[in-house]
Amino acid sequence: MNQQMEIYKTLGISEAVYAYGETYLRQLEARFSQIDQVAEYNQLKVLSAMQKNRVSDVHFTPTTGYGYNDLGRDTLEQVYADIFHTEAALVRPQLTCGTHALAVALFSNLRPGEELLSPVGKPYDTLEEVIGIRESVGSLKEYGISYRQVDLQKDGSFDYPAIEKAIHEKTKLVTIQRSKGYQTRPTLSVAKIGELIAFIKKCKPSVICMVDNCYGEFVETIEPSDVGADLVVGSLIKNPGGGLAPIGGYICGKKEYIEQAAYRLSAPGLGKEVGASLGLNQTLYQGLFLSPTVVAGALKGAIFAANLYENLGFRVIPNSTESRHDIIQAIEFGYPEGVIAFCKGIQAAAPVDSFVEPEPWAMPGYDSDVIMAAGAFIQGSSIELSADGPIKPPYAVYFQGGLTWYHAKLGILKSLQQMVQEGLVQINPIVIN
Ligand SMILES: *Cc1c(COP(=O)(O)O)cnc(C)c1O
């Protein structure tokens, strides 16, 4: 028996499950090598931006209070702007999460009487309250900003005639969500987003095109800002924080829109000038530096899981061979025990709280019990290996992340082990050429 299998055994993986995993892994070599190439490209893109901006240890010096002349913060924003090829960027711990960054971008660039359009269907759950799709205090709707939505067609493509009709004199900003989030529609490739933006700009050149880039950063070699997006927005406890950023969000884009956002985040007149970095700069730089390889590990995990579970007969979204535009993997089990066993396995593989057993629970904002597995260094960080699933049909689990490929691999093998132990699936000895 080889040494590798020995150490997996001490972590509770049986020989059969290990062998099953290895068999599928051998088929994935070409895909993994493609992922590594994207990571290499993005690593160099990040490095080149850091070198161009002469990042130095002076940039790691903490500031406090107002944070005037925070050189590290201002340089980090220039590094982001160079990576995303935008005129400017706002990258701050004061942007508390992805939803906040998106809300700031929206509230700052829309005025009463104007309209927001989503041409890609319903946005991410938390945005419903920001926009006022679900009644909520302080929404855009309360400020007299209206919202219109055009759903994707059944096959996931854009409904161009309906989009053209939905754009009128009040339309000011279009929001395009790259990742599918918790929906079953496909995630949009950057190229697809580019086609959509070109169409929208043809209908109305003055409209601002914003992309919710959450979970998409560094999955491809280009970003939505390379194909015409005026604003790209995301969370630092997802991809670009590299697992190190303890908080934060980013907004990259045209200078005038970023300035608007800065005046909204702090105050009119103050803008980007204030906002102490409180000693977080070094972590934000280092996380960004690591992000391309972290994202590559997470992607390998997602593809590995898709292959294992698809071959066990479950529906997986995206499927085992589809190209990837974000790091999220969904698996439909069709019965609650599958969701629960999967999450238990992910939890048991964690570096933190591996001894905890997750259980389905009622959560605010959900209409069914939900089970969540996460043993993360940073609370709520979903670039770290994590999984969750509502206990309702189709009994799907959504999972993402993994700071290293090896951890993601262990998590997926642990989930399978749990399924096997509970008699939910059987692995037959397989022979594949
Ligand atoms: C995570 C996510 C958000 C919100 O980010 P939070 O940091 O959870 O507030 C918005 N949109 C998409 C597509 C996301 O995946």
Side-chain angles (χ1 to χ4, degrees):
M1 183 181 317
N2 67 38
Q3 196 186 21
Q4 209 81 328
M5 200 193 289
E6 273 302 319
I7 185 95
Y8 273 106
K9 259 190 158 177
T10 65
L11 284 154
I13 304 296
S14 69
E15 271 179 48
V17 166
Y18 176 77
Y20 191 77
E22 291 308 296
T23 311
Y24 283 103
L25 266 185
R26 248 169 272 137
Q27 296 178 294
L28 291 173
E29 274 166 20
R31 277 202 83 192
F32 278 23
S33 143
Q34 259 174 14
I35 291 172
D36 288 335
Q37 270 178 38
V38 172
E40 183 173 350
Y41 182 89
N42 285 326
Q43 180 72 83
L44 297 181
K45 180 155 70 166
V46 169
L47 263 169
S48 131
M50 289 188 175
Q51 292 180 1
K52 177 178 163 219
N53 288 285
R54 304 174 63 88
V55 172
S56 163
D57 60 356
V58 299
H59 296 130
F60 307 151
T61 311
T63 58
T64 56
Y66 296 112
Y68 292 133
N69 304 313
D70 187 323
L71 200 61
R73 175 198 66 202
D74 296 347
T75 304
L76 180 66
E77 289 180 338
Q78 194 50 54
V79 169
Y80 264 77
D82 286 339
I83 289 169
F84 284 89
H85 303 120
T86 56
E87 291 172 6
L90 194 62
V91 186
R92 306 272 166 136
Q94 286 82 10
L95 289 167
T96 54
C97 60
T99 306
H100 186 205
L102 287 157
V104 167
L106 291 170
F107 274 97
S108 59
N109 285 291
L110 285 158
R111 294 290 181 275
E114 293 177 340
E115 189 161 281
L116 168 68
L117 168 69
S118 170
V120 297
K122 187 187 90 60
Y124 195 74
D125 287 42
T126 55
L127 267 291
E128 291 186 5
E129 280 164 291
V130 171
I131 296 167
I133 299 172
R134 261 186 290 147
E135 235 19 83
S136 77
V137 177
S139 67
L140 288 169
K141 188 179 166 199
E142 248 192 30
Y143 284 84
I145 295 156
S146 56
Y147 171 71
R148 200 176 285 249
Q149 179 176 312
V150 175
D151 289 334
L152 294 172
Q153 313 220 64
K154 282 220 165 51
D155 64 357
S157 63
F158 305 125
D159 189 346
Y160 283 120
I163 294 169
E164 186 167 14
K165 241 188 256 162
I167 297 173
H168 53 99
E169 73 280 0
K170 278 170 65 182
T171 313
K172 174 68 179 297
L173 198 151
V174 170
T175 180
I176 301 165
Q177 185 179 307
R178 177 172 176 181
S179 168
K180 66 183 164 302
Y182 294 118
Q183 296 171 75
T184 44
R185 69 145 165 109
T187 287
L188 304 174
S189 68
V190 173
K192 273 259 168 64
I193 291 172
E195 289 167 22
L196 179 58
I197 292 174
F199 179 79
I200 289 162
K201 295 272 185 187
K202 211 171 67 195
C203 297
K204 187 172 180 181
S206 65
V207 95
I208 304 169
C209 290
M210 179 185 94
V211 174
D212 174 352
N213 207 25
C214 283
Y215 286 131
E217 299 91 350
F218 300 133
V219 172
E220 301 183 41
T221 54
I222 52 170
E223 299 290 341
S225 39
D226 293 314
V227 295
D230 301 302
L231 285 167
V232 283
V233 185
S235 163
L236 298 196
I237 61 168
K238 293 178 180 170
N239 303 16
L244 293 186
I247 189 168
Y250 75 88
I251 307 173
C252 296
K254 292 234 167 79
K255 191 157 177 279
E256 59 171 313
Y257 307 140
I258 298 300
E259 268 169 10
Q260 295 277 5
Y263 289 128
R264 171 83 196 188
L265 177 64
S266 59
L270 301 182
K272 288 182 102 177
E273 305 294 317
V274 298
S277 55
L278 304 168
L280 292 174
N281 279 341
Q282 184 247 332
T283 314
L284 301 192
Y285 280 103
Q286 199 172 353
L288 177 64
F289 173 73
L290 292 175
S291 175
T293 46
V294 170
V295 168
L299 272 176
K300 288 177 185 175
I303 291 169
F304 182 49
N307 276 268
L308 284 196
Y309 280 96
E310 188 176 76
N311 284 291
L312 287 166
F314 300 105
R315 178 162 180 245
V316 296
I317 311 146
N319 72 30
S320 61
T321 55
E322 252 172 271
S323 67
R324 302 278 160 156
H325 311 292
D326 70 8
I327 62 168
I328 300 179
Q329 182 65 50
I331 305 167
E332 275 183 22
F333 288 105
Y335 47 83
E337 295 81 5
V339 176
I340 297 167
F342 184 92
C343 287
K344 281 185 177 167
I346 294 293
Q347 187 75 40
V352 179
D353 289 335
S354 61
F355 49 87
V356 171
E357 247 197 28
E359 275 182 42
W361 209 257
M363 302 255 307
Y366 290 88
D367 56 3
S368 67
D369 283 0
V370 181
I371 184 166
M372 296 192 169
F377 294 103
I378 306 290
Q379 270 188 45
S381 165
S382 46
I383 185 62
E384 298 188 51
L385 191 63
S386 47
D388 46 81
I391 306 299
K392 64 176 183 188
Y395 300 104
V397 78
Y398 296 83
F399 97 99
Q400 65 273 315
L403 293 186
T404 70
W405 148 240
Y406 307 111
H407 175 220
K409 178 180 173 184
L410 176 68
I412 292 149
L413 291 178
K414 284 292 264 187
S415 74
L416 183 55
Q417 186 74 47
Q418 187 73 29
M419 301 274 296
V420 169
Q421 254 153 248
E422 292 187 20
L424 298 172
V425 292
Q426 267 188 324
I427 343 183
N428 304 313
I430 33 165
V431 187
I432 292 163
N433 308 311

